[in-house]
Amino acid sequence: MNIINIEHISKIFGEKTIFQNASFGIHAGDKIGIVGINGTGKTTLLRMIAGLEEPDEGQIVRQNNLKIAYLPQNPEFPAGATIRFWIQDCEEEWKVQSNLERLGITEYDQNIEHLSGGQRRKLALAKVLASDFDVLLLDEPTNHLDEAMIIWLEDYLRSYRGTIVMVTHDRYFLDRVSNKILEISRGQMYSYDSNYSRFLELKAEREEMELATERKRQSVLRIELEWAKRGCRARSTKQRARLERLEALKNGQAPVQDQTVELDSIETRMGKKTLELEHVSKSFGDTVILEDYSYIFLKNQKVGIVGPNGCGKSTFVKMLAGIETPDSGTIEVGDTIRIGYFAQEEKHMDDSQRVIDYVKDIGEYIQTRDGRISASQMLERFLFTPDMQYAPVGKLSGGEKRRLYLLGVLCQNSNVLILDEAGNNLDIPTMTILEDYLNSFMGIVIMVSHDRYFLDNVADRILEFDGAGHITQYEGGYTDYLEARGGAGFGMDGTKLSDVNDNGGKKVQSKASADSGKTWKQNRPVKLKFTFKEQREFETIDSEIEALEEKIVALDDEIMKNATNSGKLNELTKQKEETETLLEEKMDRWVYLNDLAEKIDAQKNG
């Protein structure tokens, strides 16, 4: 049964429509992953379910006495509070302490303001999980968590029998935990009873069905327009009905697909010398970050950096970017090296500055493989519509600001990209295109990330920090790293990563080898043509459709005349339904034959 009903809600921020007459039901035991492009309202929906915001129209109905716990994306803490002070107001303080120990926090007299982002995240998570709840709302729960903590949280949520609604960009996490996906797109909600892997298939099927319906509408519209051009007797009942259908077809809306971020790799020449570390050491008090470490980054290398929170990963990349200095040793940067640094926390943005001016400050024009493009064009490729470009930065959502910050880094014509937790607050579509961009990037990529899927798709080498100043090197992506150290993660289809082959995939026959037995005759292009039967059908189908339409009009007249004769009325109604079904089949056939005719003509003319 539904424990929360979202009924016909609408929500507008300024000129931006977030939800428009959207509805959705949450059942007891659902583990729902919310997906969608940044700015579509994922966080807003969580806040409305939690009762922290209200829809402009519609309502959210909750079961009586339903207890809801909410982990926001950016938890807030009292100024100057210690961990011990902050957890004292909890009814079950021991539960919070137990969760903190599992999450690796044992020193309770620390000032919360001095904790890292990951430690503050653990603190908020420990308190939320210790509360008494029926429904758990999680906004980006894996942000700032290291691999061990993410796996612990996965196991906890998988075993929890209550209801979970979460927003996350971590695709492995989403795939393992969720049993339902809620997609938010252009103000509407689409529900899929599946995990993330199956959702991708179901979404593709839905979009294909929408496109097929639109192709049919366009084809039928063509034939109706051709009929209208030939002239018609508008006074007759049949012609009036056909003209009304033509108007309905013209007013129909084509399905609108979500845009995706488009990125062109921006290339800058790189000389022989890249980034070279020689006997580098770094400590903060008694905490050793790096001890006598030497390494040379190779051209076009994609290096993933992993390790527990607080082990110094961010400090390491800050040293590479020249923001921090080593205690001893040297970091030499080649003369041709240009570094683009994407920090874990985006730099301060002037909320009053227009979005387009933020990019213009980097450059009026950006050099890409396709030549120079303007700042406005680059923004459009990053899903910033013209009206958004001239809006102040302060109007953007957290995820949209993150995307703008990423655009600014990528527009700097760098040949070394340093990304510190790039996935934080970025939506899955943006992450997917970023992965494609980095794979084609002609330069060095150095990325700190706990996003296992991201590392599997991009990294060709993993550097693991052990928290004691030492780094171990592993070849390959995240899956290869897990196998080499004897770990067991899970892939997008739920398969244990330890069960995959040496290339990080299941042992299947490659397409190239599967196709290798085909002869040149089998591979040559097929010549399109009508069969004899199809040619005859193509020549007569227009008149058959017209005859069926006339029959339906005649049946309508007969139904009106026999409105009081129940026996005759049932017979006529049945005939009309059968005729309409036949007309629908003929129209589908008409679409197929006309599409084939167009392809045959194109082949002849090509």
Side-chain angles (χ1 to χ4, degrees):
M1 61 178 282
N2 278 10
I3 57 174
I4 299 175
N5 278 326
I6 299 163
E7 300 176 351
H8 307 288
I9 65 168
S10 295
K11 186 75 173 178
I12 297 174
F13 288 125
E15 299 178 356
K16 187 173 183 178
T17 299
I18 303 297
F19 296 108
Q20 187 171 18
N21 194 32
S23 298
F24 180 66
I26 299 175
H27 294 76
D30 279 348
K31 294 181 179 178
I32 301 168
I34 303 177
V35 300
I37 293 173
N38 285 142
T40 55
K42 301 186 294 293
T43 293
T44 299
L45 179 59
L46 282 187
R47 288 179 58 81
M48 287 195 290
I49 295 172
L52 301 175
E53 287 191 35
E54 294 293 330
D56 296 334
E57 296 178 9
Q59 62 180 346
I60 297 179
V61 181
R62 302 168 189 85
Q63 189 182 72
N64 289 337
N65 302 317
L66 194 69
K67 296 187 285 281
I68 297 177
Y70 173 50
L71 176 72
Q73 196 170 127
N74 298 302
E76 295 182 358
F77 301 91
T82 63
I83 296 174
R84 190 182 304 280
F85 174 83
W86 187 70
I87 65 176
Q88 280 177 350
D89 64 343
C90 300
E91 292 183 12
E92 308 250 10
E93 186 178 334
W94 68 271
K95 283 188 178 179
V96 183
Q97 292 180 0
S98 175
N99 288 338
L100 286 174
E101 287 179 14
R102 286 177 175 273
L103 291 167
I105 295 178
T106 55
E107 297 293 331
Y108 298 155
D109 292 323
Q110 299 179 82
N111 190 306
I112 295 175
E113 292 176 355
H114 298 157
L115 299 180
S116 68
Q119 289 170 318
R120 290 196 299 270
R121 191 71 172 170
K122 290 177 183 179
L123 195 60
L125 185 60
K127 195 170 184 179
V128 167
L129 296 181
S131 61
D132 182 21
F133 55 83
D134 305 304
V135 178
L136 180 60
L137 307 179
L138 302 171
D139 196 352
E140 295 291 1
T142 63
N143 275 5
H144 304 291
L145 295 186
D146 56 41
E147 172 208 330
M149 297 305 100
I150 291 172
I151 292 174
W152 174 81
L153 183 59
E154 278 179 359
D155 292 338
Y156 179 95
L157 297 180
R158 280 164 61 86
S159 61
Y160 171 62
R161 297 195 177 186
T163 303
I164 301 168
V165 184
M166 59 184 171
V167 174
T168 179
H169 67 271
D170 189 320
R171 285 153 286 184
Y172 281 153
F173 185 86
L174 195 58
D175 211 49
R176 287 200 68 202
V177 175
S178 64
N179 59 22
K180 184 177 287 187
I181 299 293
L182 178 65
E183 179 192 11
I184 301 177
S185 176
R186 300 188 175 274
Q188 297 302 312
M189 300 178 187
Y190 302 92
S191 177
Y192 305 82
D193 290 325
S194 68
N195 61 6
Y196 183 72
S197 297
R198 179 62 179 146
F199 151 73
L200 294 175
E201 299 173 16
L202 294 173
K203 178 182 178 180
E205 290 173 8
R206 174 179 69 79
E207 290 179 343
E208 180 55 38
M209 286 176 65
E210 288 176 350
L211 290 173
T213 301
E214 173 60 13
R215 286 195 296 269
K216 178 181 175 181
R217 185 181 76 87
Q218 292 290 343
S219 296
V220 173
L221 182 58
R222 274 203 310 273
I223 193 172
E224 295 294 329
L225 287 170
E226 289 169 5
W227 166 81
K229 288 176 184 177
R230 292 198 299 266
C232 59
R233 300 182 300 281
R235 292 183 183 179
S236 74
T237 303
K238 179 178 88 74
Q239 306 297 5
R240 282 202 305 274
R242 193 159 181 177
L243 284 171
E244 287 170 3
R245 187 170 78 174
L246 176 58
E247 280 303 311
L249 286 167
K250 287 164 66 178
N251 293 331
Q253 291 188 341
V256 181
Q257 291 182 286
D258 286 331
Q259 292 176 285
T260 54
V261 181
E262 295 181 12
L263 288 170
D264 284 324
S265 180
I266 303 169
E267 298 177 21
T268 302
R269 187 184 71 84
M270 183 183 297
K272 290 183 178 180
K273 190 168 188 175
T274 57
L275 280 172
E276 299 183 7
L277 289 77
E278 292 187 11
H279 305 291
V280 172
S281 296
K282 181 72 174 179
S283 299
F284 287 109
D286 295 332
T287 304
V288 179
I289 303 299
L290 211 59
E291 185 175 6
D292 194 26
Y293 183 66
S294 298
Y295 187 82
I296 298 175
F297 288 93
L298 305 177
K299 287 184 179 180
N300 302 329
Q301 195 171 56
K302 310 293 192 295
V303 179
I305 298 174
V306 301
N309 284 336
C311 68
K313 302 185 297 296
S314 291
T315 300
F316 178 69
V317 294
K318 284 179 180 177
M319 287 194 291
L320 297 179
I323 299 169
E324 293 273 0
T325 56
D327 296 337
S328 61
T330 60
I331 299 176
E332 296 186 15
V333 181
D335 293 336
T336 60
I337 293 300
R338 298 187 60 177
I339 295 174
Y341 173 59
F342 185 71
Q344 189 171 144
E345 304 291 341
E346 59 259 23
K347 66 179 182 180
H348 172 73
M349 293 182 175
D350 181 357
D351 283 348
S352 64
Q353 185 181 33
R354 296 185 308 177
V355 171
I356 192 165
D357 293 331
Y358 177 86
V359 179
K360 282 184 175 180
D361 283 350
I362 299 167
E364 288 276 350
Y365 292 91
I366 292 93
Q367 186 67 41
T368 73
R369 285 179 177 178
D370 299 330
R372 295 202 317 162
I373 64 171
S374 68
S376 178
Q377 289 172 313
M378 196 68 175
L379 279 163
E380 283 199 46
R381 294 186 182 199
F382 260 65
L383 311 185
F384 291 101
T385 58
D387 58 317
M388 292 174 71
Q389 293 178 24
Y390 288 90
V393 170
K395 292 278 188 181
L396 301 180
S397 70
E400 288 168 332
K401 284 184 179 179
R402 189 79 172 158
R403 192 194 311 148
L404 180 62
Y405 174 40
L406 175 63
L407 170 60
V409 172
L410 297 181
C411 284
Q412 294 171 7
N413 288 1
S414 307
N415 49 23
V416 175
L417 289 175
I418 299 176
L419 310 175
D420 193 355
E421 292 292 0
N424 285 356
N425 298 338
L426 284 182
D427 55 62
I428 292 174
T430 303
M431 287 299 296
T432 300
I433 304 302
L434 176 61
E435 288 161 3
D436 291 340
Y437 173 85
L438 295 178
N439 282 323
S440 65
F441 178 70
M442 301 300 290
I444 297 169
V445 180
I446 304 164
M447 50 205 150
V448 175
S449 182
H450 296 126
D451 188 328
R452 299 157 293 175
Y453 191 89
F454 176 67
L455 291 174
D456 259 345
N457 274 356
V458 179
D460 53 35
R461 175 172 291 178
I462 299 291
L463 300 181
E464 182 191 42
F465 281 62
D466 68 355
H470 305 114
I471 297 176
T472 306
Q473 176 179 311
Y474 299 87
E475 298 307 311
Y478 181 82
T479 298
D480 303 296
Y481 152 71
L482 270 186
E483 289 178 342
R485 62 193 278 269
F490 290 82
M492 285 294 292
D493 58 357
T495 306
K496 281 190 177 181
L497 296 181
S498 56
D499 293 338
V500 296
N501 63 21
D502 292 338
N503 295 317
K506 291 180 182 177
K507 294 182 180 179
V508 295
Q509 186 181 17
S510 70
K511 187 177 187 304
S513 62
D515 291 344
S516 61
K518 293 183 178 180
T519 65
W520 67 270
K521 290 184 179 180
Q522 289 172 306
N523 289 324
R524 66 185 177 185
V526 178
K527 187 176 181 181
L528 296 174
K529 64 178 181 178
F530 277 131
T531 65
F532 178 76
K533 183 180 178 181
E534 286 173 335
Q535 183 65 47
R536 293 291 301 273
E537 188 180 7
F538 181 63
E539 293 168 357
T540 60
I541 196 165
D542 284 348
S543 58
E544 290 174 1
I545 288 173
E546 189 169 352
L548 289 169
E549 289 174 331
E550 290 175 351
K551 184 176 179 180
I552 290 171
V553 172
L555 286 168
D556 281 334
D557 291 340
E558 286 294 310
I559 288 170
M560 291 293 290
K561 292 175 184 177
N562 293 275
T564 58
N565 186 340
S566 60
K568 186 68 173 175
L569 189 61
N570 287 337
E571 180 186 338
L572 291 169
T573 301
K574 184 178 180 181
Q575 286 183 38
K576 183 184 176 184
E577 289 174 354
E578 292 173 350
T579 308
E580 286 176 336
T581 300
L582 184 57
L583 176 60
E584 184 71 16
E585 292 172 355
K586 285 289 183 185
M587 292 304 298
D588 287 340
R589 190 66 179 163
W590 183 91
V591 170
Y592 165 75
L593 292 170
N594 276 270
D595 284 346
L596 181 56
E598 289 176 3
K599 291 175 181 176
I600 291 170
D601 287 341
Q603 192 177 66
K604 287 179 181 177
N605 296 329

